Amino acid sequence: MSEPRPQQPRPTESTPPETFAQPWEARSDVRITDVRAIVTAPEGIPLVVIKIETSDDGLHGLGCATFTQRWQAVVAYLEHVRRLLIGRYPGDIEDLLRLVRFSAYWREGPVGNNVLSGVDMALWDIAGKRAGAPVYELFGGRVRAAADVYLHAGGSTVEETADEARELMASGLRHVRIQTGQPGIGHYGAPPTADRYTWAKTPTGWRAEEYLRRTPALFARMRETLGEEVELLHDVHSRLTPKTAVLLARSLEEYRPFFLEDVLAPEFWDRLPAVRDASPVPIAVGELATSASDAARLIRTHAVDFIRCHLSDIGGVTAGRRLAVLADLEGVRTAWHSPGDASPVAVAAAVALDVTSPAFGIQEGHVYNEATHEIFPGMIDIVDGWLTPSDAPGWGVEIDERAAARFPAGFSGHDAWAAGVRAPDGALVAP
Ligand code: MG
């Protein structure tokens, strides 16, 4: 018989509540009454949304806190944060964000920042609802009507990728990301090809040399078959070295890519300024940033042409606004990360940044399924390649919690996706 396992420790309240009390007289008596996480997986990808409720009947806000690979850690972290917020005036957004960050002492990182993001976006949602205005007007108003969007075309062969790209172009898109398979293994965003490395320890391994040969051929065929009008994007997914990144960039120059994404893993970002200097094509990096300061460094050191962060991983839309201002001052453009592991609340927040920032470059998009639309009434969709912000107060997106509960989250399949690629000798390849 094995020993009974000890119970998971539960926190007991020990800090005097006055430590976190409202520090000054607020201009209104509306107060935060509850903060909680809602987790739902309508596409099998766990999405985390934080809901902040207030003393004003029905007034609440929603924010995205989706760290899909480790969502339970985000839910647990929120338990430490909610007591800081309850009783506070929701209009003190900056102070509340500083309180959430500094109270952890060790700040930054994807778990804490996703909670921060959920709180941040939910407070802006409340601010918009209180003002009776969409959040983009609180950000200073629009500088453009809508955000131009790109979607992903991927096939196991170049011809399959071309077919998908043609379909996307027919739906009105002007920007398409193209990926194609590798022997036995899908390169990022594409299914595997039918062949294998017969000589390899891992016959379905990913080989940089093979990739460096296939990618220019992919671009050549796309230009041949799709023409010059469409803008082509490509994601390396952090799998090259500084030298091979430059080799790839040079080999693609004649096909005029719109940008080349994530050429280096974050561990090597100090080499990016040199790579960007040597690259004849625009470089887009930042998806794996887990602090706004790291992302800001990419802009300030001229390491990127496009800054692209997963907004919830850097702390939310307030962090994104700061980066957009810095990008504007430094001649860098924005390309916020937003595929299926961002909730429709995050999409609304990204688009609010897009339409208010002079530094906007392009917006990544995702076509959500029907269940997601049922869960998130008011969410915005891509129409003719554009994402146009809702004019409703706040983000304009709500959550149907009953519908959300019909799609419970399990362990994320993204774990296997991120750690599922090996080299022909068997070594794991970093995503
Ligand atoms: Mg990417």
Side-chain angles (χ1 to χ4, degrees):
M1 284 262 302
S2 61
E3 292 281 303
R5 295 166 77 180
Q7 288 289 305
Q8 185 73 12
R10 299 293 307 164
T12 54
E13 196 64 58
S14 56
T15 310
E18 58 267 25
T19 302
F20 305 126
Q22 181 66 30
W24 42 72
E25 203 176 319
R27 73 173 180 91
S28 145
D29 58 8
V30 60
R31 293 291 183 270
I32 294 170
T33 53
D34 200 9
V35 185
R36 56 201 173 82
I38 301 159
V39 186
T40 183
E43 296 186 358
I45 301 170
L47 304 174
V48 185
V49 171
I50 288 178
K51 184 172 188 176
I52 296 183
E53 288 170 323
T54 73
S55 54
D56 222 359
D57 195 26
L59 176 66
H60 62 267
L62 300 178
C64 187
T66 298
F67 180 6
T68 200
Q69 292 87 344
R70 299 290 186 266
W71 61 268
Q72 291 193 93
V74 172
V75 173
Y77 193 110
L78 183 63
E79 276 306 303
H80 295 268
V81 164
R82 62 189 292 278
R83 70 193 189 117
L84 312 178
L85 303 174
I86 289 172
R88 290 291 312 268
Y89 172 58
D92 292 331
I93 299 176
E94 283 284 353
D95 184 65
L96 293 173
L97 298 179
R98 286 159 64 85
L99 180 64
V100 170
R101 288 184 74 225
F102 296 162
S103 61
Y105 189 42
W106 281 282
R107 43 205 179 260
E108 308 300 1
V111 178
N113 271 345
N114 268 283
V115 169
L116 185 66
S117 164
V119 170
D120 173 46
M121 291 181 193
L123 292 173
W124 278 107
D125 194 19
I126 291 170
K129 287 171 176 168
R130 292 181 69 217
V135 176
Y136 69 76
E137 285 199 354
L138 276 53
F139 285 177
R142 283 196 256 195
V143 295
R144 60 179 51 78
D148 219 335
V149 171
Y150 75 89
L151 289 173
H152 307 172
S156 57
T157 64
V158 169
E159 291 314 316
E160 279 178 26
T161 307
D163 289 345
E164 272 203 23
R166 261 185 233 105
E167 267 177 45
L168 294 177
M169 290 164 69
S171 76
L173 280 140
R174 294 157 291 279
H175 302 76
V176 179
R177 195 193 75 174
I178 51 169
Q179 312 288 141
T180 196
Q182 297 267 296
I185 195 153
H187 178 53
Y188 176 66
T193 63
D195 47 344
R196 299 276 197 278
Y197 299 113
T198 52
W199 48 268
K201 298 290 182 193
T202 303
T204 58
W206 184 85
R207 262 186 101 208
E209 296 77 8
E210 187 78 31
Y211 170 68
L212 291 170
R213 263 198 303 276
R214 283 174 185 252
T215 308
L218 166 71
F219 270 82
R221 180 65 187 139
M222 291 302 124
R223 279 286 172 231
E224 203 175 87
T225 177
L226 304 176
E228 288 298 320
E229 293 293 305
V230 65
E231 302 302 333
L232 300 175
L233 297 75
H234 180 72
D235 191 352
V236 177
H237 227 258
S238 307
R239 288 180 186 158
L240 293 178
T241 61
K243 189 62 82 181
T244 52
V246 173
L247 286 174
L248 179 68
R250 286 190 184 148
S251 73
L252 299 181
E253 180 180 10
E254 61 183 295
Y255 311 112
R256 205 180 34 79
F258 185 82
F259 69 48
L260 197 53
E261 175 181 340
D262 280 348
V263 290
L264 297 184
E267 292 84 352
F268 310 114
W269 280 357
D270 60 340
R271 303 288 299 277
L272 268 175
V275 169
R276 182 191 171 234
D277 276 352
S279 167
V281 306
I283 298 291
V285 175
E287 183 174 318
L288 272 77
T290 52
S291 87
S293 307
D294 287 350
R297 209 165 291 122
L298 293 176
I299 299 171
R300 289 204 315 267
T301 59
H302 301 161
V304 292
D305 299 283
F306 289 85
I307 185 74
R308 47 175 294 103
C309 299
H310 187 95
L311 287 173
S312 68
D313 272 315
I314 57 162
V317 74
T318 298
R321 280 185 84 199
R322 290 192 168 98
L323 291 175
V325 168
L326 183 61
D328 183 36
L329 294 171
E330 294 285 351
V332 166
R333 290 192 281 167
T334 65
W336 307 120
H337 177 253
S338 194
D341 55 349
S343 76
V345 179
V347 174
V351 172
L353 286 182
D354 295 339
V355 299
T356 55
S357 170
F360 170 72
I362 190 71
Q363 178 60 52
E364 185 173 31
H366 175 72
V367 177
Y368 292 92
N369 69 5
E370 226 171 276
T372 308
H373 283 80
E374 190 191 339
I375 294 167
F376 294 98
M379 63 178 278
I380 52 173
D381 282 314
I382 300 163
V383 178
D384 296 329
W386 299 102
L387 274 169
T388 306
S390 167
D391 288 336
W395 300 126
V397 185
E398 287 304 331
I399 191 160
D400 178 335
E401 293 189 49
R402 280 168 179 270
R406 294 209 322 268
F407 300 91
F411 284 111
S412 168
H414 277 54
D415 302 41
W417 162 83
V421 176
R422 288 182 185 275
D425 65 4
L428 267 179
V429 177

